[in-house]
Amino acid sequence: MRRITANDKSTELMKRIGVVIICALTSAMSLNFFLIPAKVMSAGMNGVAQIIVALGAEHLGLHLSTGLFIFLLNIPVFALGFWKLGKDATIWSFVNVVAISLVTMIFPQGAVTDNILMNSLMGGVIVGIGAGMALKMGFTTGGMDILSLVLSKTTGNTVGKYMFILNGLIVVVAGFIFSWESALYTIICIYVMSYVVDMIHTSHQKLTVLIVTTKPDEVGKSISQRVFRGMTLLPSIGGYSGVESKTIMMVITRYELYDLEQAVLEADENAFVNMLATQSIIGRFATQDEQRTFTATGVFPEVRTQRKRR
């Protein structure tokens, strides 16, 4: 198994910093150049911050900073996330939100176009690019993402359900405060953003992964340390080389793809990896809670039950 060197860690750190910078720039551009001038709300805490700033300007005559309120609103959410989800799931998300807040405060505001539909579309596309890249690297843009994860863990309902409800509240509030036309354009913005995020990275889409390697033990061990999914080993022989190898077959979500790629490369740089889109599966596929149980105990819940019966 290839050892993780200081250079590998440095490269990984630079990738994460680069994604944080891109996410901050795209969020700031989306808000200051498209959504705020058009009075179209973004998704999540960004949209809540827009509403608060707009209310302060209209009713109190205060010129508040959207970026500052993005940061302030996320503080209690990250405290909750740190408590419920653990530090690994929140630290980089917090760094990402701090960067978004700072860049949004630095960037000047100015309308690129007066067309509200174009503002909604472009605002959604640009912010979706940054959010999708952040999720692909294993962290979020904070706010509603973390709140939805906490609520899902507490109640057992899906993350998507809570994200829909929370963002739906933003749309309703935008309709009452500004106009229902603004609310309708907010729906367009949120839909476009979600579509772009799904194009870049989604957790609900599943992939069947075939890994051809001459080091099946090393690769399997490396994968199991990062991705808690079942694996099936199939015998295989190189068509031209005639070299005997093993093919590891497993089904993962796109959310786990980055960790899987890193695990394979660390164990076998010469491994051949083929990824196929999976429409549906029948059978055992661990939930997030079951994965956490496996992480803590090394045993999946139903496996422990079977052993007790025996």
Side-chain angles (χ1 to χ4, degrees), residues 10-310:
S10 177
T11 301
E12 178 73 9
L13 178 62
M14 293 305 296
K15 285 181 180 179
R16 288 180 176 269
I17 292 174
V19 170
V20 167
I21 293 172
I22 292 172
C23 191
L25 289 173
T26 53
S27 295
M29 290 172 60
S30 174
L31 287 168
N32 290 353
F33 295 161
F34 297 98
L35 301 182
I36 293 176
K39 293 185 177 181
V40 174
M41 300 300 106
S42 180
M45 286 300 180
N46 292 3
V48 177
Q50 284 179 260
I51 291 173
I52 293 174
V53 171
L55 286 174
E58 289 186 10
H59 299 287
L60 301 176
L62 299 175
H63 297 286
L64 304 172
S65 170
T66 304
L68 177 61
F69 272 93
I70 291 174
F71 175 73
L72 293 176
L73 289 169
N74 272 286
I75 290 177
V77 174
F78 277 112
L80 180 63
F82 193 89
W83 176 42
K84 290 286 189 179
L85 304 176
K87 65 179 182 179
D88 292 338
T90 55
I91 288 177
W92 273 102
S93 298
F94 182 75
V95 172
N96 197 27
V97 168
V98 170
I100 291 172
S101 303
L102 290 174
V103 177
T104 303
M105 287 188 282
I106 294 171
F107 264 41
Q109 289 186 18
V112 176
T113 174
D114 294 330
N115 188 313
I116 189 171
L117 178 59
M118 288 302 299
N119 280 313
S120 302
L121 293 173
M122 289 305 301
V125 168
I126 294 173
V127 76
I129 291 172
M133 292 181 68
L135 288 171
K136 192 174 181 66
M137 288 298 294
F139 54 91
T140 72
T141 55
M144 298 301 184
D145 294 351
I146 291 179
L147 194 57
S148 297
L149 285 170
V150 171
L151 289 172
S152 176
K153 179 181 178 181
T154 304
T155 64
N157 291 318
T158 63
V159 176
K161 176 180 178 180
Y162 286 112
M163 291 185 71
F164 176 79
I165 292 172
L166 294 172
N167 284 318
L169 291 175
I170 294 175
V171 173
V172 173
V173 172
F176 277 109
I177 293 175
F178 302 108
S179 67
W180 290 108
E181 182 183 36
S182 177
L184 293 175
Y185 283 113
T186 297
I187 294 174
I188 294 174
C189 174
I190 293 175
Y191 175 80
V192 171
M193 183 202 71
S194 301
Y195 182 79
V196 173
V197 168
D198 282 349
M199 289 180 63
I200 297 174
H201 176 73
T202 54
S203 61
H204 64 275
Q205 290 186 353
K206 295 177 179 62
L207 296 172
T208 296
V209 183
L210 301 173
I211 306 164
V212 182
T213 175
T214 56
K215 302 177 181 179
D217 294 336
E218 292 89 340
V219 173
K221 182 178 179 181
S222 180
I223 292 173
S224 65
Q225 291 172 347
R226 285 175 175 258
V227 181
F228 307 111
R229 295 291 178 194
M231 294 178 244
T232 300
L233 272 66
L234 307 172
S236 54
I237 300 175
Y240 290 99
S241 65
V243 175
E244 292 187 1
S245 60
K246 289 288 180 67
T247 298
I248 301 174
M249 183 182 72
M250 58 191 304
V251 179
I252 62 171
T253 65
R254 282 193 176 273
Y255 188 82
E256 298 161 327
L257 178 58
Y258 178 80
D259 285 336
L260 177 71
E261 291 174 343
Q262 297 303 306
V264 173
L265 290 175
E266 287 172 8
D268 185 2
E269 294 177 319
N270 298 315
F272 179 82
V273 183
N274 184 25
M275 290 162 281
L276 308 171
T278 301
Q279 297 296 324
S280 62
I281 56 173
I282 299 174
R284 188 77 192 99
F285 195 76
T287 64
Q288 289 184 349
D289 287 338
E290 290 167 339
Q291 287 179 320
R292 294 189 191 99
T293 300
F294 179 79
T295 304
T297 64
V299 181
F300 279 119
E302 79 284 357
V303 176
R304 185 189 297 116
T305 302
Q306 291 173 1
R307 287 178 178 174
K308 286 182 178 179
R309 288 176 181 174
R310 291 178 185 176

